[in-house]
Amino acid sequence: EKVRLDRMMKTATAQTTEPITLANNPLYEAWKAKGLVHTRGWGWGRPMIEPGGDMHAEVMAIGRDGIDRTHLCDLYSFAVPTQGVVRKLARMFPRIVEVGAGRGYWAAMLADAGADVVAYDKSIRRGRIVRNGYHKKQVKPATYHPVQYGTAASAAEHADRDLLLCWAPYDDPMAESALLNYRGSDLIWIGEDDGGCCGGEGFWNVLKEGWEETAMLDIPQWPRIRDYVAIYHRK
């Protein structure tokens, strides 16, 4: 088992040097390789992904099984995209601005599906991403899509694009600030719901007051993680 997992990790790391496309989605492939399966109706009623075996054993294995969630999130992204979700988003939103894009994994997938994506992250320095709470290691390439330096205020420059926020930091003003700065009409939210690990109280208050949810898409979830894709339209 250890040999198999070591081989999978080497493969995943090698894939960081290849373009991230709809046909080359190493994060999703590694997620599937852990034997995770879809179930529904757990927790807040959002779709939940549980391991094929015992959940406790799966959760305890994270961090020591050689292909753990933390390492994959560091290499790629916390949220796991699928071809179907990416294609649907690219059709619905052909022009996107992403704030807090990290390594640009979702941006690269969306661009490959035909969307025009402008991506920003405050951790970008000279074309490389510096260590932060999500990305702690230096890998090549540093980003999978062109990501330029920018903060939440960068959202104000793109009223003609739809705003994408993916796993905005918890208990942090970034998501709230991005939403207040943004002047466009639609938000793509990838993360957990109100009360979860994404966005702060201020963000959810602003969202409830001025936006309405128009659609929700399922994405693969790690054990005990309740993230999903939600589409919001300005009231």
Side-chain angles (χ1 to χ4, degrees):
E1 178 67 11
K2 185 178 185 303
V3 171
R4 184 180 70 87
L5 290 171
D6 287 344
R7 186 181 302 116
M8 288 163 54
M9 177 55 72
K10 289 179 182 178
T11 300
T13 302
Q15 285 178 310
T16 63
T17 64
E18 301 177 7
I20 299 300
T21 68
L22 289 174
N24 172 28
N25 186 357
L27 177 56
Y28 178 60
E29 293 303 318
W31 177 88
K32 284 198 305 181
K34 292 181 70 67
L36 304 178
V37 296
H38 285 271
T39 63
R40 289 178 176 272
W42 189 85
W44 299 325
R46 295 290 186 185
M48 178 61 187
I49 305 303
E50 294 183 353
D54 176 69
M55 171 171 280
H56 178 72
E58 174 70 22
V59 172
M60 293 301 293
I62 292 174
R64 67 166 188 261
D65 64 3
I67 190 162
D68 62 282
R69 184 181 74 194
T70 301
H71 184 82
L72 291 169
C73 294
D74 194 348
L75 284 178
Y76 305 118
S77 165
F78 204 106
V80 183
T82 65
Q83 288 189 0
V85 167
V86 171
R87 286 197 180 104
K88 183 170 291 187
L89 289 176
R91 287 196 302 269
M92 294 172 67
F93 307 104
R95 289 173 55 81
I96 294 171
V97 55
E98 181 177 9
V99 176
R103 298 195 191 280
Y105 190 86
W106 275 80
M109 297 274 288
L110 287 163
D112 188 61
D116 183 341
V117 185
V118 174
Y120 294 97
D121 197 283
K122 71 175 184 178
S123 296
I124 291 294
R125 298 291 188 278
R126 296 180 180 179
R128 294 189 63 82
I129 190 163
V130 299
R131 293 182 180 183
N132 58 35
Y134 287 104
H135 304 290
K136 302 176 179 63
K137 299 176 182 178
Q138 294 297 327
V139 300
K140 294 181 180 180
T143 63
Y144 304 106
H145 180 84
V147 180
Q148 54 190 305
Y149 172 80
T151 64
S154 301
E157 304 172 18
H158 300 280
D160 60 332
R161 293 176 179 267
D162 301 299
L163 177 62
L164 169 61
L165 296 175
C166 180
W167 268 86
Y170 171 68
D171 199 20
D172 185 287
M174 188 279 273
E176 178 186 1
S177 180
L179 198 57
L180 289 173
N181 276 287
Y182 178 58
R183 295 292 178 265
S185 59
D186 290 280
L187 166 68
I188 307 165
W189 172 259
I190 306 175
E192 294 198 311
D193 209 339
D194 186 10
C197 296
C198 302
E201 181 179 356
F203 167 78
W204 290 105
N205 288 338
V206 171
L207 193 68
K208 290 173 183 176
E209 290 174 4
W211 298 75
E212 59 182 351
E213 183 176 320
T214 59
M216 196 273 283
L217 305 174
D218 298 352
I219 56 173
Q221 297 167 319
W222 296 103
R224 298 191 178 182
I225 297 297
R226 305 180 183 98
D227 56 347
Y228 60 101
V229 179
I231 308 303
Y232 292 89
H233 185 74
R234 192 186 296 273
K235 293 181 181 177

